[in-house]
Amino acid sequence: MAAPAMLHLTIWIGVPVLAAFALSFTSYDVLSSPEFIGLENYMDLLHDSVFRRAMINTLVYVFFVVPVAMALGLLIALMLNMQIRARALFRTAVFIPQVTATIAVALVWLWIYDPRSGLFNAILSFFGFPTHDWLSSTTLAMPAVILVGIWQGIGLKMLIYLAALQALPEDVYEAAAVDGAPKWRQFFSITLPLLKPTTFFVVVTSVISAFQAFDLIYILTDGGPANTTSMITYEIYKSAFREFRMGYACAQSIILFVVLVILTIINRRINGGDRGDR
Amino acid sequence: MELTRRSLLAAMGVGTTALLAGCGGSNSSSSSTGSAGGDPADVSGDITFLCALFEGATGKETLEGNLLKTFNQQYPNINVTIDYTNYSKLNEKITTALAGGLMPDVLTLGVGWIPPFANKHAIAPIADSLATRYAYQSRVLEPARFDGNLYGLPMVLDVRVGAYRKDFFAEAGIDAPPTNWTDLRKFAKELTVRDSGGSVIRAGFDPFSIDLRQGWETFLFANGGEMFSEDGREVLFGGDEGVEALQLYIDLVGDGSAIFANETPEKGMPSSLQSGNSAMMMTDNSLMLTLLDQAPELIRDDKVGWFAVANPTPAIFQGGTIVSQSATSKHPEAAAALVEFLGGQDAVLAACAQRGSVPGMDELLTSDFVAGNPFVKFALENLDKSRPEGGTPAWMEIREKIKPTLQSAVVGQQSARAAIDELTGIAEAAIARL
């Protein structure tokens, strides 16, 4: 059973990762053969202000999108775990952004953010507030992108938390209720600790997913204005496919890979990994 | 003569139909000689064509249903498979094709793209005799040349110029478009309209209606500047001309007569000029088709005019599409034949008619299409003022950096001088890596 998985891992993951690592030490423009240049790409990255900016933007995006979407996902999962009317409908509604193509999502949000005919400005105008050009403002563009990222990310987190909530043992809650523990105490003392393995899983997958934010940026802002919304993946894409600097893009990818590994290790230390406190 | 939407469409339609129906014109016979020489029936092969033109069902029908049928009448043993794309994906398509070793035999390239691809031997030079096959307008073939060789043939020119609303000008008592930047800023202020709360409801000038890179280059050329030295190894835009061109954007925004926008509207979307949200804007030839489709009364009533931005040198940005041949084609003769055909009068006129673009050869000046499209006519009459972008083998890398760097100055993150200095450094580093 392990052999096909190992084969897949080797061919489709191992080889590309090794190839990217090797190419990161070369000057490779696709048009001609790779030329070994040692650490030059990495040295260039140290002085690349745009890449630095993209790294900061990505961290800001992850910092806001992951915890907010997780908190909202958990909150909605708690509500949808209760016996309420049209529960299936609500679950579907929350999950729909997750299964909708990001391009379609982004196009809808482009309209929502449209400075002249968009929904947001129409609402602001209706209540007499000043309107904004959301995606052209250096201060508003990133929050605007983050908002879409949060909105789109809630569904999957909600689903995972909902599945975990439904698997929690009822007897623990019954015992707590007998001991007179109020609901909020049950949540913080029972639910959250029991959800720790789920939370670890959600954090890791959410961080990786948020670090890979690309299509939203591609459609909504093109990284602008003035690189204020450019992310690491978008810079990798531009270096590789628009600027013909494949070796440089590979070095950027390796940096992203290392950052993700470090964050996963840190998170594992903080959260105690996928061990539950049962 | 009163110009109506019907007459314009009819002229374009008649022109297109005529050329498609009668493809056996003089140029067809010239094509039949083929760059490969000999009997065209002897030229054979299955070739691929990466095409960023002939978009949509109409374009596909024009290319496959008409043009290529004519081509196959001349070259019955060449089978052409077309991969359609658009400009925003063209670069990526070529990169992935190169990386995967599946470079198309024939491909369309943008203006400025020839030196990078030719320098790396990704495209092949074509017969120089093709440069004299038609009476090309001056400057038209310039972007297709590199290192003394001809690497492609222009299919369409997509120029960028200023456009203005004549009715708004008349209301403001202004009788002609600006001829220098002082006038441009003055007119823009006078034409700006605000509501009682001070919000701009009509911008005097909308320079963000085209890509910031292309707009800045237009201003740079109008200011007497150059992008690169003739050999493409020296950056020339870092002087005062480039700084002043960027400062113009900053000043217009500072005046409140232009509003910064991160994104330019997609082709076919209503323009700010059309909706009355601007009195002047930068535009390309697609504006004409959009107006004819969405606001024909503006053309019928002669409310829209065009001008070359000047300070004082009038300049028109010359973009466009060049058809080239891959250097790695397994069927070079077949590929050469297709390039020759696509750069011919019939294909050029068909492509231009579909996109509202400018044909660059004198033979087409008298075509119904040109006569029936005031924008194209204006562009052709002023093509001597046109300037292409690029000019260095490092262009593909540099062009991606221009817009965000310029934006950093427009939004006030750094001065125009600092932004141009930064851009100069980026460009010099890219050239040094060649």
Side-chain angles (χ1 to χ4, degrees), chain A residues 55-99:
Chain A
M55 181 72 88
I56 292 168
N57 289 341
T58 309
L59 289 171
V60 169
Y61 180 82
V62 172
F63 182 79
F64 284 102
V65 167
V66 173
V68 175
M70 279 180 66
L72 290 173
L74 177 59
L75 186 69
I76 294 169
L78 287 167
M79 290 192 291
L80 294 180
N81 196 35
M82 294 187 289
Q83 294 298 327
I84 56 170
R85 275 191 181 181
R87 191 166 60 164
L89 186 71
F90 285 122
R91 285 176 182 173
T92 309
V94 174
F95 193 66
I96 276 179
Q98 186 67 42
V99 292

Side-chain angles (χ1 to χ4, degrees), chain A residues 38-129:
Chain A
L39 292 172
E40 201 173 301
N41 285 328
Y42 292 96
M43 297 306 288
D44 285 351
L45 274 175
L46 287 177
H47 302 104
D48 188 337
S49 60
V50 175
F51 184 72
R52 211 161 40 237
R53 183 69 193 255
M55 181 72 88
I56 292 168
N57 289 341
T58 309
L59 289 171
V60 169
Y61 180 82
V62 172
F63 182 79
F64 284 102
V65 167
V66 173
V68 175
M70 279 180 66
L72 290 173
L74 177 59
L75 186 69
I76 294 169
L78 287 167
M79 290 192 291
L80 294 180
N81 196 35
M82 294 187 289
Q83 294 298 327
I84 56 170
R85 275 191 181 181
R87 191 166 60 164
L89 186 71
F90 285 122
R91 285 176 182 173
T92 309
V94 174
F95 193 66
I96 276 179
Q98 186 67 42
V99 292
T100 306
T102 309
I103 300 296
V105 166
L107 287 172
V108 171
W109 280 90
L110 262 185
W111 166 71
I112 291 172
Y113 287 137
D114 188 285
R116 293 194 185 276
S117 57
L119 181 66
F120 271 6
N121 279 350
I123 293 171
L124 288 175
S125 291
F126 183 79
F127 289 107
F129 293 109

Side-chain angles (χ1 to χ4, degrees), chain A residues 28-32 44 48-50 53 116 133 135-136 138 218 220-222 224-228 235 237-238 240-246, chain B residues 88-89 91-92 94-96 98-99 116-117 120 122 200-201 259-263 277 396-397 400-401 403-405 407-408 411 413 422 433:
Chain A
Y28 179 41
D29 62 2
V30 185
L31 299 163
S32 45
D44 285 351
D48 188 337
S49 60
V50 175
R53 183 69 193 255
R116 293 194 185 276
D133 195 346
L135 299 175
S136 294
T138 50
Y218 185 82
L220 285 178
T221 63
D222 199 23
N227 292 318
T228 49
E235 285 304 313
Y237 156 76
K238 282 206 299 185
F241 296 106
R242 288 190 181 172
E243 298 172 15
F244 289 75
R245 298 185 73 190
M246 203 61 86
Chain B
S88 62
K89 303 284 183 300
N91 196 346
E92 290 90 321
I94 296 170
T95 315
T96 47
L98 282 163
F117 286 100
K120 294 288 182 182
V200 174
I201 54 176
I259 300 168
F260 170 68
N262 182 35
E263 292 297 317
N277 291 323
M396 301 310 280
E397 180 182 341
E400 288 302 320
K401 306 287 192 192
K403 181 179 167 184
T405 312
Q407 275 185 344
S408 66
V411 300
Q413 289 181 343
E422 183 184 335
R433 275 192 289 272

Side-chain angles (χ1 to χ4, degrees), chain B residues 228-404:
Chain B
F228 302 99
S229 60
E230 207 158 294
D231 64 359
R233 301 280 165 167
E234 193 185 343
V235 179
L236 298 180
F237 60 72
D240 288 344
E241 296 90 350
V243 176
E244 287 165 10
L246 180 54
Q247 189 63 44
L248 178 61
Y249 276 97
I250 298 169
D251 291 342
L252 284 163
V253 173
D255 291 343
S257 52
I259 300 168
F260 170 68
N262 182 35
E263 292 297 317
T264 54
E266 293 286 327
K267 287 189 193 316
M269 295 295 287
S271 65
S272 59
L273 197 77
Q274 169 188 340
S275 60
N277 291 323
S278 72
M280 292 183 280
M281 65 180 264
M282 295 299 291
T283 187
D284 65 19
N285 28 269
S286 70
L287 174 70
M288 189 68 193
L289 295 187
T290 307
L291 290 178
L292 287 171
D293 184 46
Q294 299 172 4
E297 69 282 357
L298 291 178
I299 301 298
R300 185 190 60 223
D301 300 340
D302 194 25
K303 288 184 176 175
V304 177
W306 296 271
F307 64 96
V309 177
N311 191 48
T313 308
I316 291 177
F317 177 93
Q318 179 193 325
T321 306
I322 297 164
V323 61
S324 285
Q325 176 185 346
S326 164
T328 53
S329 174
K330 288 177 181 167
H331 305 284
E333 287 191 341
L338 185 60
V339 169
E340 185 178 336
F341 177 82
L342 291 171
Q345 193 171 305
D346 296 349
V348 166
L349 189 51
C352 287
Q354 204 225 335
R355 299 167 55 88
S357 301
V358 180
M361 47 185 71
D362 287 349
E363 285 85 348
L364 298 177
L365 292 178
T366 53
S367 66
D368 291 342
F369 163 66
V370 174
N373 188 315
F375 183 99
V376 170
K377 206 157 175 280
F378 168 83
L380 279 173
E381 286 167 359
N382 291 277
L383 214 53
D384 59 323
K385 304 172 182 69
S386 71
R387 304 286 297 278
E389 65 176 346
T392 172
W395 178 242
M396 301 310 280
E397 180 182 341
I398 296 168
R399 73 194 283 272
E400 288 302 320
K401 306 287 192 192
I402 296 178
K403 181 179 167 184

